[in-house]
Amino acid sequence: DAVEFEAMEETHAFLDRFYISRIGIRVLIGQYLALRQPPVENYVGIICSRTSPYEIVKRAVDDASFMCTRKYGDAPEVVVTGRLDMTFPYVPTHLHYIMLELLKNSMRATVDWHGVDSDFPPIKVVIADGNENEDVVIKVSDEGGGIPRSNVQKIWSYLFTTADPAVQEGMVAFNENVDHSVDSPLAGLGYGLPISRSYARYFGGDLSIMSMEGFGTDAFVYLTRLGNSREPLPI
């Protein structure tokens, strides 16, 4: 309940620090190993100087649709609009992780809310950017019924999920190879959103969610162009 959730504040703070540190270590290791490999066009280590949000969203849509279809037999359509031609320096694997998590959540909510045999309203992805914009912003909008206001803070907990608890059975043993994989379940482990926010915040961005209970949810991913942001490691 709410009292128990508030009492976990120290645990959440510890896990935030732990996962931010883990992301930092993986970035350093990945960058070192990638720089020792033959050069790849437009890449400096794991950083792509011409990361295309549209191409990454398309890949994430394919992966999320595969996972949703595997579970429900069907998946909602995803419509992508905005700056489809835009590129900027970023780590593509980080952006893919974030977008896959948001699209998985939107697809599951849409199917659960409308029913498997219904005509699903499309999930809408908007990529916004301008020459004077501070951030690249990606919005994911669904009509999956939204989140009760009492649960809005809980969605950032590593210990909270609205999915069937049975999903966690068999997933207790951590598998490094499933971290960014379509082999993981569609939902149910509870740590997808907070880790996605940590990925966004690692390079100075953020992830926020606005929900309208009874209708749907909008998720906003803010991404800074890589350059002068410092590692946001909590003390």
Side-chain angles (χ1 to χ4, degrees), residues 32-59:
Y32 172 76
L33 293 175
L35 288 171
R36 292 180 63 86
Q37 301 299 315
V40 178
E41 187 180 5
N42 295 325
Y43 274 82
V44 180
I46 60 173
I47 299 169
C48 178
S49 60
R50 295 181 58 82
T51 301
S52 167
Y54 176 56
E55 292 299 325
I56 290 174
V57 167
K58 281 202 305 183
R59 283 212 325 268

Side-chain angles (χ1 to χ4, degrees), residues 116 201 225:
V116 175
R201 286 180 169 177
R225 296 168 180 79

Side-chain angles (χ1 to χ4, degrees), residues 127-139:
I127 301 169
D129 177 60
N131 294 334
E132 305 302 321
N133 288 15
E134 180 179 320
D135 295 324
V136 175
V137 185
I138 303 173
K139 180 175 78 167

Side-chain angles (χ1 to χ4, degrees), residues 1-10 12 153:
D1 57 28
V3 176
E4 290 179 351
F5 180 77
E6 294 298 331
M8 300 300 288
E9 188 172 339
E10 285 188 19
H12 295 148
Q153 287 305 312

Side-chain angles (χ1 to χ4, degrees), residues 5-214:
F5 180 77
E6 294 298 331
M8 300 300 288
E9 188 172 339
E10 285 188 19
T11 304
H12 295 148
F14 167 79
L15 289 170
D16 281 339
R17 290 195 303 272
F18 172 80
Y19 281 112
I20 283 282
S21 299
R22 179 177 182 269
I23 290 167
I25 291 168
R26 291 188 66 169
V27 166
L28 289 173
I29 293 172
Q31 185 74 355
Y32 172 76
L33 293 175
L35 288 171
R36 292 180 63 86
Q37 301 299 315
V40 178
E41 187 180 5
N42 295 325
Y43 274 82
V44 180
I46 60 173
I47 299 169
C48 178
S49 60
R50 295 181 58 82
T51 301
S52 167
Y54 176 56
E55 292 299 325
I56 290 174
V57 167
K58 281 202 305 183
R59 283 212 325 268
V61 167
D62 290 342
D63 291 342
S65 296
F66 169 79
M67 298 167 77
C68 188
T69 303
R70 182 179 61 191
K71 179 172 175 61
Y72 294 108
D74 198 2
E77 178 190 5
V78 180
V79 178
V80 186
T81 59
R83 282 292 307 276
L84 307 186
D85 59 331
M86 183 261 298
T87 61
F88 74 114
Y90 209 74
V91 180
T93 52
H94 288 195
L95 182 53
H96 180 268
Y97 182 95
I98 296 167
M99 296 311 303
L100 178 59
E101 189 60 38
L102 294 177
L103 288 164
K104 283 194 307 180
N105 289 347
S106 289
M107 287 185 180
R108 181 179 72 90
T110 300
V111 175
D112 286 348
W113 181 253
H114 292 275
V116 175
D117 298 323
S118 302
D119 290 331
F120 308 125
I123 294 166
K124 299 171 184 173
V125 178
V126 181
I127 301 169
D129 177 60
N131 294 334
E132 305 302 321
N133 288 15
E134 180 179 320
D135 295 324
V136 175
V137 185
I138 303 173
K139 180 175 78 167
V140 181
S141 300
D142 66 61
E143 296 178 27
I147 304 164
R149 195 158 60 92
S150 58
N151 282 345
V152 167
Q153 287 305 312
K154 295 181 183 179
I155 63 175
W156 303 114
S157 167
Y158 297 89
L159 313 169
F160 177 78
T161 178
T162 57
D164 185 350
V167 174
Q168 297 187 11
E169 295 176 12
M171 290 295 293
V172 175
F174 179 73
N175 183 348
E176 181 73 16
N177 296 323
V178 177
D179 212 16
H180 293 71
S181 168
V182 293
D183 295 330
S184 59
L186 183 66
L189 302 182
Y191 53 69
L193 274 178
I195 291 183
S196 294
R197 185 170 68 170
S198 293
Y199 270 111
R201 286 180 169 177
Y202 184 78
F203 286 120
D206 207 353
L207 170 62
S208 64
I209 287 183
M210 299 293 291
S211 187
M212 182 183 290
E213 186 178 5

